[in-house]
Amino acid sequence: VAAGPLTIDVGGGALFRLQDEVLDAFNRKVRFEMTLNSNLHLLETATAICFDSDDTFSISDGAPGWGMSFLCTVSECSTNAHLHTLLFGSHYQEGHWVGDGVDASFTWNGGLEPNDGIFPVAQFYMGISLAASINLPDLEAAVDTYYKCFTNFDGSYVEDNLLVDINLDSDWQEHNVTVAATPSLP
């Protein structure tokens, strides 16, 4: 059963999307997709970070968040096979992503279709408790949920690798994202 998706329109044709592909009592399989303006090059990243917020899209210190990044590992990443994927959970602190969070990158599920490099896709398959520990949003919530998200589609791995504190300054685009409540069945 696919839920969601959570979609961020970055502008200029670029976007980021998170969608559940499988969600049951024990496991969660999520799919991340990006549409980029061009291929990434060696050690360049395309990254999305989202934090829980209130309905005014204010983030409080300590708010849980998650980050997903595609990293190019060859001179030019023209297909998904060239990309490394990172998936982390962490929290917000005084304008920063805190880089000492939970690493779920190892849950990446390979074998995807060999998409062109400007349409990177990754699937992660994990237990429900791991998904909760990295703060992945509930895409089937009974109420509207709100996220303040940040994207950087032309960063460098040295600066934006999700393992270090990241200053979410002017290099990052801000996005207010609402995931609408899932209607209950009668």
Side-chain angles (χ1 to χ4, degrees), residues 68-92:
M68 194 276 154
S69 187
F70 288 104
L71 162 67
C72 182
T73 58
V74 298
S75 60
E76 182 178 8
C77 288
S78 57
T79 73
N80 279 347
H82 298 145
L83 294 166
H84 178 69
T85 56
L86 301 168
L87 178 62
F88 277 76
S90 191
H91 65 279
Y92 181 84

Side-chain angles (χ1 to χ4, degrees), residues 10-185:
V10 177
L15 67 82
F16 172 82
R17 178 172 288 133
L18 162 65
Q19 183 165 350
D20 274 312
E21 292 206 322
V22 174
L23 179 61
D24 59 36
F26 305 103
N27 297 295
R28 188 167 180 190
K29 185 175 186 180
V30 295
R31 180 181 179 98
F32 293 93
E33 302 175 22
M34 289 188 186
T35 302
L36 308 176
N37 294 322
S38 64
N39 289 334
L40 297 174
H41 294 86
L42 184 62
L43 300 184
E44 289 180 342
T45 56
T47 304
I49 294 172
C50 293
F51 299 98
D52 290 359
S53 70
D54 61 22
D55 61 359
T56 66
F57 300 101
S58 297
I59 318 168
S60 54
D61 278 351
W66 52 270
M68 194 276 154
S69 187
F70 288 104
L71 162 67
C72 182
T73 58
V74 298
S75 60
E76 182 178 8
C77 288
S78 57
T79 73
N80 279 347
H82 298 145
L83 294 166
H84 178 69
T85 56
L86 301 168
L87 178 62
F88 277 76
S90 191
H91 65 279
Y92 181 84
Q93 193 68 43
E94 298 175 356
H96 288 77
W97 161 268
V98 179
D100 61 357
V102 177
D103 182 359
S105 304
F106 61 89
T107 63
W108 180 69
N109 228 9
L112 293 173
E113 65 274 10
N115 281 350
D116 185 282
I118 63 170
F119 301 109
V121 176
Q123 290 177 322
F124 293 84
Y125 188 72
M126 66 198 80
I128 292 293
S129 61
L130 179 58
S133 75
I134 62 169
N135 312 312
L136 282 182
D138 181 357
L139 300 177
E140 293 186 339
V143 296
D144 290 353
T145 50
Y146 306 93
Y147 302 94
K148 172 70 82 173
C149 297
F150 299 84
T151 57
N152 183 329
F153 282 12
D154 55 3
S156 70
Y157 182 66
V158 174
E159 298 168 359
D160 310 329
N161 63 10
L162 300 176
L163 300 169
V164 298
D165 290 1
I166 299 173
N167 183 5
L168 300 168
D169 59 10
S170 60
D171 290 339
W172 291 79
Q173 286 187 319
E174 287 187 28
H175 310 276
N176 297 331
V177 179
T178 302
V179 176
T182 301
S184 58
L185 297 174

